[in-house]
């Protein structure tokens, strides 16, 4: 079938194309009778306005680009969904692109979105953002991974982890292990600082017997499992009674490591994560986690792009507090439980 255009609607309705345009844009000068007649013809013909043509005339595309490092990461998937909902509330759509955590691809994605005349970009920078220079003239809001020299919006990673570790301390744990994120990650470094803040504040009451109870890992499940094996592969009186992981995926991997070693959670080992992804509420037992306010971050980013909220200054980013979601993987330490541990065959893919 030939494509129906605005001229076809105007001809059948016996009005000018300008009148049809005013009806489409809900202009107050159009009478109710005329509006009903034109809309009737539009419905009869199945006419769909060309959004690109309308944006060229209005200089507003009603499109927001969002660039994330990894679409397979549940945190970023939820972030995209939250951003899409926030944009829709303002009558905007989003275009999602992935940088694969690489600055060169990130710069290319920014160029592509600029060429598509988006009204602004929400950017989660790659971890090698130091080589990236953001273009001028297009509104760009940096979120989650804050870049020195640029304003941004994020969860309060440092304070969130500090509160999470303090929660484990209040339960009575004194040997608390920590699974950090990659050293080149800004949020990972902030989370590690939060762990150190809590442990230093606890002072001499905490115990780091033997080697430090810290393991560096990527934010994914397999890395968390490997880090869990490393932290738990030590003498019974030296291994941690609790482990705080820098991501929920890490924490779930650590749960698997504990299961393979026959260490019951939380009876002999407490585990807590960070992010609050939906999967954290589906594990058995249900994971304790520090939940990031993903919806608030996304809504604030959209509001800043649309000038409905003041942009944060370079030296004062907008930071949202994290909230403890207490699950079933944490409890007070029970030193005598170890006598009942039975090792299981290790997990294999």
């Amino acid at each position: 079938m030939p494509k129906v255009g605005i001229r076809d609607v105007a001809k059948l309705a016996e009005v000018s194309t300008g009148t049809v345009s005013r009806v489409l844009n809900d202009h107050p000068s159009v009478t109710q009778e005329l509006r009903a007649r034109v809309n009737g013809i539009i419905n009869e013909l199945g006419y769909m306005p060309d959004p690109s043509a309308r944006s060229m005339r209005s200089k507003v595309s009603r499109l927001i680009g969002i660039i994330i490092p990894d679409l397979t990461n549940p945190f970023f998937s939820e972030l995209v969904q939250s951003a899409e909902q926030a944009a829709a509330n303002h009558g905007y759509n989003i275009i999602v692109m992935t940088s694969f955590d690489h600055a060169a691809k990130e710069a290319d994605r920014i160029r592509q979105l600029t060429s598509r005349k988006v009204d602004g970009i929400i950017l989660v920078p790659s971890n090698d953002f130091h080589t990236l220079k953001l273009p001028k003239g297009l509104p760009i809001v940096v979120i989650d991974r804050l870049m020195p020299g640029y304003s941004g919006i994020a969860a309060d990673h440092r304070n969130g982890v500090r509160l999470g570790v303090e929660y484990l301390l209040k339960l009575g744990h004194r040997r608390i292990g920590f699974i950090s994120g990659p050293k080149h990650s800004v949020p990972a470094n902030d989370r590690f600082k939060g762990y150190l803040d809590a442990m230093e504040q606890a002072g001499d009451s905490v115990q780091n017997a033997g080697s430090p109870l810290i393991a560096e890992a990527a934010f994914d499940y397999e890395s968390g499992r490997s880090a869990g094996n490393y932290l738990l592969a030590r003498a019974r009186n030296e291994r941690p009674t609790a482990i705080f992981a820098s991501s929920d995926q890490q924490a779930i991997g650590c749960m698997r490591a504990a299961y393979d070693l026959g260490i019951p959670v939380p009876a002999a080992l407490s585990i807590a994560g960070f992010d609050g992804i939906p999967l954290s509420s589906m594990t058995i037992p249900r994971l304790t986690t520090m939940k990031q306010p993903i919806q608030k971050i996304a809504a604030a980013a959209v509001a800043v792009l649309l000038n409905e909220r003041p942009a944060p200054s370079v030296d004062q980013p907008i930071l949202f507090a994290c909230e403890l979601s207490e699950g079933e993987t944490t409890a007070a330490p029970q030193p005598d439980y170890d006598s009942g541990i039975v090792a299981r065959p290790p997990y294999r893919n």
Side-chain angles (χ1 to χ4, degrees):
M1 293 180 62
K3 184 177 180 181
V4 176
I6 191 171
R7 295 181 186 277
D8 300 308
V9 175
K11 182 178 180 180
L12 197 58
E14 299 180 344
V15 297
S16 68
T17 56
T19 298
V20 177
S21 179
R22 286 192 289 275
V23 170
L24 292 170
N25 290 292
D26 202 24
H27 198 280
S29 65
V30 181
T31 65
Q32 287 296 111
E33 181 182 356
L34 183 58
R35 189 186 311 276
R37 186 168 90 244
V38 172
N39 280 329
I41 299 299
I42 289 173
N43 293 333
E44 179 182 339
L45 297 178
Y47 170 66
M48 295 291 291
D50 184 348
S52 61
R54 295 178 72 182
S55 67
M56 289 176 63
R57 291 191 295 270
S58 66
K59 305 300 182 182
V60 176
S61 69
R62 305 201 77 80
L63 290 173
I64 294 173
I66 180 167
I67 303 174
I68 58 173
D70 179 12
L71 191 57
T72 64
N73 186 318
F75 171 79
F76 294 129
S77 299
E78 188 175 355
L79 182 64
V80 167
Q81 184 174 353
S82 297
E84 185 171 21
Q85 182 60 61
N89 291 339
H90 294 277
Y92 282 72
N93 293 312
I94 67 168
I95 300 175
V96 184
M97 290 192 170
T98 306
S99 69
F100 300 98
D101 213 13
H102 194 280
K105 289 184 173 63
E106 194 168 48
D108 177 67
R109 304 300 185 261
I110 292 174
R111 285 192 293 270
Q112 289 185 49
L113 289 171
T114 302
S115 69
R116 297 187 68 169
K117 308 298 183 183
V118 297
D119 296 319
I121 296 175
I122 298 172
L123 172 65
V124 180
S126 61
N127 282 316
D128 59 347
F129 63 81
H130 303 87
T131 61
L132 179 69
K133 291 185 178 180
L134 299 183
K136 297 180 179 180
L138 177 67
I140 296 179
V141 177
V142 176
I143 66 172
D144 187 50
R145 302 175 178 179
L146 300 182
M147 297 169 55
Y150 295 94
S151 61
I153 303 170
D156 192 342
H157 301 281
R158 181 171 183 170
N159 196 50
V161 170
R162 180 184 65 81
L163 293 173
V165 175
E166 287 181 351
Y167 163 75
L168 295 175
L169 288 166
K170 290 176 182 176
L171 288 177
H173 294 281
R174 291 299 175 264
R175 293 199 307 274
I176 302 176
F178 185 73
I179 303 178
S180 70
K183 288 182 179 178
H184 55 276
S185 166
V186 173
N189 289 330
D190 285 342
R191 295 173 197 181
F192 182 47
K193 291 174 183 176
Y195 167 75
L196 295 177
D197 290 343
M199 297 297 279
E200 289 173 4
Q201 186 174 355
D204 295 337
S205 68
V206 297
Q207 305 170 36
N208 270 357
S211 59
L213 301 177
I214 299 169
E216 181 184 349
F219 284 125
D220 59 73
Y221 168 89
E222 288 296 339
S223 299
R225 185 167 67 92
S226 297
N229 282 324
Y230 167 76
L231 291 172
L232 297 172
R234 56 193 73 201
R236 195 169 291 176
N237 65 338
E238 293 182 355
R239 74 182 178 211
T241 62
I243 295 176
F244 192 98
S246 292
S247 77
D248 288 343
Q249 291 189 86
Q250 288 177 342
I252 295 169
C254 186
M255 289 171 65
R256 180 72 216 204
Y259 177 85
D260 290 341
L261 294 170
I263 301 174
V265 176
L269 174 69
S270 287
I271 298 177
F274 189 93
D275 279 336
I277 60 175
L279 188 60
S280 65
S281 64
M282 304 176 194
T283 60
I284 300 175
R286 183 166 48 85
L287 180 66
T288 292
T289 180
M290 291 301 299
K291 183 175 177 60
Q292 291 201 58
I294 299 176
Q295 294 181 347
K296 290 182 179 179
I297 294 170
V302 170
V304 168
L305 279 183
L306 301 182
N307 294 318
E308 295 192 0
R309 176 173 183 154
S313 61
V314 173
D315 56 344
Q316 286 189 322
I318 297 174
L319 297 180
F320 289 100
C322 299
E323 181 180 355
L324 175 67
S325 176
E326 189 172 0
E328 301 160 341
T329 57
T330 48
Q334 302 177 37
D336 295 336
Y337 197 98
D338 289 347
S339 59
I341 289 178
V342 178
R344 297 182 176 89
Y347 166 77
R348 287 182 174 84
N349 293 325

PDB file of all heavy atoms in Angstrom, residues 262-279:
ATOM      1  N   GLY A 262      30.949 -26.494  51.346  1.00  0.00           N
ATOM      2  CA  GLY A 262      30.140 -27.006  52.452  1.00  0.00           C
ATOM      3  C   GLY A 262      29.995 -26.042  53.598  1.00  0.00           C
ATOM      4  O   GLY A 262      29.769 -26.445  54.743  1.00  0.00           O
ATOM      5  N   ILE A 263      30.129 -24.758  53.320  1.00  0.00           N
ATOM      6  CA  ILE A 263      30.012 -23.734  54.365  1.00  0.00           C
ATOM      7  C   ILE A 263      28.612 -23.141  54.299  1.00  0.00           C
ATOM      8  O   ILE A 263      28.280 -22.437  53.342  1.00  0.00           O
ATOM      9  CB  ILE A 263      31.075 -22.630  54.190  1.00  0.00           C
ATOM     10  CG1 ILE A 263      32.472 -23.233  54.232  1.00  0.00           C
ATOM     11  CG2 ILE A 263      30.915 -21.552  55.249  1.00  0.00           C
ATOM     12  CD1 ILE A 263      33.579 -22.246  53.918  1.00  0.00           C
ATOM     13  N   PRO A 264      27.754 -23.408  55.270  1.00  0.00           N
ATOM     14  CA  PRO A 264      26.365 -22.934  55.196  1.00  0.00           C
ATOM     15  C   PRO A 264      26.257 -21.422  55.400  1.00  0.00           C
ATOM     16  O   PRO A 264      26.938 -20.844  56.239  1.00  0.00           O
ATOM     17  CB  PRO A 264      25.671 -23.696  56.323  1.00  0.00           C
ATOM     18  CG  PRO A 264      26.756 -24.046  57.275  1.00  0.00           C
ATOM     19  CD  PRO A 264      28.005 -24.229  56.476  1.00  0.00           C
ATOM     20  N   VAL A 265      25.392 -20.827  54.613  1.00  0.00           N
ATOM     21  CA  VAL A 265      25.100 -19.393  54.684  1.00  0.00           C
ATOM     22  C   VAL A 265      23.655 -19.239  55.175  1.00  0.00           C
ATOM     23  O   VAL A 265      22.741 -19.839  54.620  1.00  0.00           O
ATOM     24  CB  VAL A 265      25.257 -18.741  53.293  1.00  0.00           C
ATOM     25  CG1 VAL A 265      24.848 -17.264  53.333  1.00  0.00           C
ATOM     26  CG2 VAL A 265      26.688 -18.878  52.777  1.00  0.00           C
ATOM     27  N   PRO A 266      23.444 -18.484  56.266  1.00  0.00           N
ATOM     28  CA  PRO A 266      24.381 -17.631  57.001  1.00  0.00           C
ATOM     29  C   PRO A 266      24.930 -18.264  58.280  1.00  0.00           C
ATOM     30  O   PRO A 266      25.596 -17.587  59.057  1.00  0.00           O
ATOM     31  CB  PRO A 266      23.519 -16.422  57.352  1.00  0.00           C
ATOM     32  CG  PRO A 266      22.186 -17.038  57.651  1.00  0.00           C
ATOM     33  CD  PRO A 266      22.043 -18.199  56.687  1.00  0.00           C
ATOM     34  N   ALA A 267      24.645 -19.554  58.536  1.00  0.00           N
ATOM     35  CA  ALA A 267      25.010 -20.148  59.823  1.00  0.00           C
ATOM     36  C   ALA A 267      26.506 -20.067  60.098  1.00  0.00           C
ATOM     37  O   ALA A 267      26.921 -19.765  61.223  1.00  0.00           O
ATOM     38  CB  ALA A 267      24.539 -21.603  59.868  1.00  0.00           C
ATOM     39  N   ALA A 268      27.330 -20.318  59.069  1.00  0.00           N
ATOM     40  CA  ALA A 268      28.776 -20.278  59.268  1.00  0.00           C
ATOM     41  C   ALA A 268      29.437 -19.131  58.517  1.00  0.00           C
ATOM     42  O   ALA A 268      30.622 -18.854  58.728  1.00  0.00           O
ATOM     43  CB  ALA A 268      29.401 -21.605  58.833  1.00  0.00           C
ATOM     44  N   LEU A 269      28.698 -18.484  57.634  1.00  0.00           N
ATOM     45  CA  LEU A 269      29.258 -17.381  56.855  1.00  0.00           C
ATOM     46  C   LEU A 269      28.140 -16.442  56.428  1.00  0.00           C
ATOM     47  O   LEU A 269      27.159 -16.880  55.821  1.00  0.00           O
ATOM     48  CB  LEU A 269      29.977 -17.908  55.601  1.00  0.00           C
ATOM     49  CG  LEU A 269      30.495 -16.843  54.628  1.00  0.00           C
ATOM     50  CD1 LEU A 269      31.666 -16.067  55.245  1.00  0.00           C
ATOM     51  CD2 LEU A 269      30.915 -17.482  53.297  1.00  0.00           C
ATOM     52  N   SER A 270      28.285 -15.162  56.743  1.00  0.00           N
ATOM     53  CA  SER A 270      27.344 -14.146  56.272  1.00  0.00           C
ATOM     54  C   SER A 270      27.891 -13.517  55.001  1.00  0.00           C
ATOM     55  O   SER A 270      29.101 -13.286  54.882  1.00  0.00           O
ATOM     56  CB  SER A 270      27.128 -13.065  57.332  1.00  0.00           C
ATOM     57  OG  SER A 270      26.340 -13.558  58.402  1.00  0.00           O
ATOM     58  N   ILE A 271      26.998 -13.250  54.050  1.00  0.00           N
ATOM     59  CA  ILE A 271      27.401 -12.633  52.782  1.00  0.00           C
ATOM     60  C   ILE A 271      26.437 -11.490  52.470  1.00  0.00           C
ATOM     61  O   ILE A 271      25.227 -11.637  52.578  1.00  0.00           O
ATOM     62  CB  ILE A 271      27.381 -13.654  51.624  1.00  0.00           C
ATOM     63  CG1 ILE A 271      28.391 -14.779  51.888  1.00  0.00           C
ATOM     64  CG2 ILE A 271      27.704 -12.974  50.297  1.00  0.00           C
ATOM     65  CD1 ILE A 271      28.374 -15.874  50.819  1.00  0.00           C
ATOM     66  N   ALA A 272      27.006 -10.355  52.075  1.00  0.00           N
ATOM     67  CA  ALA A 272      26.196  -9.197  51.673  1.00  0.00           C
ATOM     68  C   ALA A 272      26.741  -8.650  50.367  1.00  0.00           C
ATOM     69  O   ALA A 272      27.941  -8.743  50.084  1.00  0.00           O
ATOM     70  CB  ALA A 272      26.213  -8.117  52.751  1.00  0.00           C
ATOM     71  N   GLY A 273      25.864  -8.088  49.553  1.00  0.00           N
ATOM     72  CA  GLY A 273      26.273  -7.531  48.271  1.00  0.00           C
ATOM     73  C   GLY A 273      25.935  -6.062  48.159  1.00  0.00           C
ATOM     74  O   GLY A 273      25.528  -5.409  49.124  1.00  0.00           O
ATOM     75  N   PHE A 274      26.097  -5.548  46.945  1.00  0.00           N
ATOM     76  CA  PHE A 274      25.860  -4.117  46.681  1.00  0.00           C
ATOM     77  C   PHE A 274      25.228  -3.984  45.300  1.00  0.00           C
ATOM     78  O   PHE A 274      25.707  -4.590  44.349  1.00  0.00           O
ATOM     79  CB  PHE A 274      27.184  -3.347  46.717  1.00  0.00           C
ATOM     80  CG  PHE A 274      27.029  -1.852  46.673  1.00  0.00           C
ATOM     81  CD1 PHE A 274      26.968  -1.112  47.845  1.00  0.00           C
ATOM     82  CD2 PHE A 274      26.962  -1.183  45.462  1.00  0.00           C
ATOM     83  CE1 PHE A 274      26.827   0.269  47.808  1.00  0.00           C
ATOM     84  CE2 PHE A 274      26.815   0.188  45.409  1.00  0.00           C
ATOM     85  CZ  PHE A 274      26.752   0.919  46.582  1.00  0.00           C
ATOM     86  N   ASP A 275      24.173  -3.243  45.193  1.00  0.00           N
ATOM     87  CA  ASP A 275      23.464  -2.872  43.962  1.00  0.00           C
ATOM     88  C   ASP A 275      21.966  -2.970  44.161  1.00  0.00           C
ATOM     89  O   ASP A 275      21.236  -2.070  43.792  1.00  0.00           O
ATOM     90  CB  ASP A 275      23.847  -3.715  42.739  1.00  0.00           C
ATOM     91  CG  ASP A 275      25.140  -3.254  42.089  1.00  0.00           C
ATOM     92  OD1 ASP A 275      25.501  -2.073  42.261  1.00  0.00           O
ATOM     93  OD2 ASP A 275      25.806  -4.075  41.430  1.00  0.00           O
ATOM     94  N   GLY A 276      21.488  -4.131  44.692  1.00  0.00           N
ATOM     95  CA  GLY A 276      20.056  -4.317  44.828  1.00  0.00           C
ATOM     96  C   GLY A 276      19.385  -4.675  43.520  1.00  0.00           C
ATOM     97  O   GLY A 276      18.244  -4.280  43.268  1.00  0.00           O
ATOM     98  N   ILE A 277      20.072  -5.443  42.646  1.00  0.00           N
ATOM     99  CA  ILE A 277      19.460  -5.879  41.395  1.00  0.00           C
ATOM    100  C   ILE A 277      18.323  -6.862  41.702  1.00  0.00           C
ATOM    101  O   ILE A 277      18.325  -7.508  42.757  1.00  0.00           O
ATOM    102  CB  ILE A 277      20.490  -6.527  40.459  1.00  0.00           C
ATOM    103  CG1 ILE A 277      21.132  -7.758  41.113  1.00  0.00           C
ATOM    104  CG2 ILE A 277      21.558  -5.519  40.054  1.00  0.00           C
ATOM    105  CD1 ILE A 277      22.078  -8.513  40.202  1.00  0.00           C
ATOM    106  N   PRO A 278      17.339  -7.000  40.815  1.00  0.00           N
ATOM    107  CA  PRO A 278      16.208  -7.904  41.091  1.00  0.00           C
ATOM    108  C   PRO A 278      16.633  -9.324  41.441  1.00  0.00           C
ATOM    109  O   PRO A 278      15.978  -9.987  42.253  1.00  0.00           O
ATOM    110  CB  PRO A 278      15.409  -7.864  39.783  1.00  0.00           C
ATOM    111  CG  PRO A 278      15.706  -6.519  39.206  1.00  0.00           C
ATOM    112  CD  PRO A 278      17.140  -6.241  39.560  1.00  0.00           C
ATOM    113  N   LEU A 279      17.736  -9.807  40.857  1.00  0.00           N
ATOM    114  CA  LEU A 279      18.186 -11.169  41.124  1.00  0.00           C
ATOM    115  C   LEU A 279      18.526 -11.389  42.586  1.00  0.00           C
ATOM    116  O   LEU A 279      18.446 -12.513  43.093  1.00  0.00           O
ATOM    117  CB  LEU A 279      19.408 -11.487  40.246  1.00  0.00           C
ATOM    118  CG  LEU A 279      19.913 -12.927  40.253  1.00  0.00           C
ATOM    119  CD1 LEU A 279      18.829 -13.878  39.759  1.00  0.00           C
ATOM    120  CD2 LEU A 279      21.169 -13.056  39.387  1.00  0.00           C
TER     121      LEU A 279
END
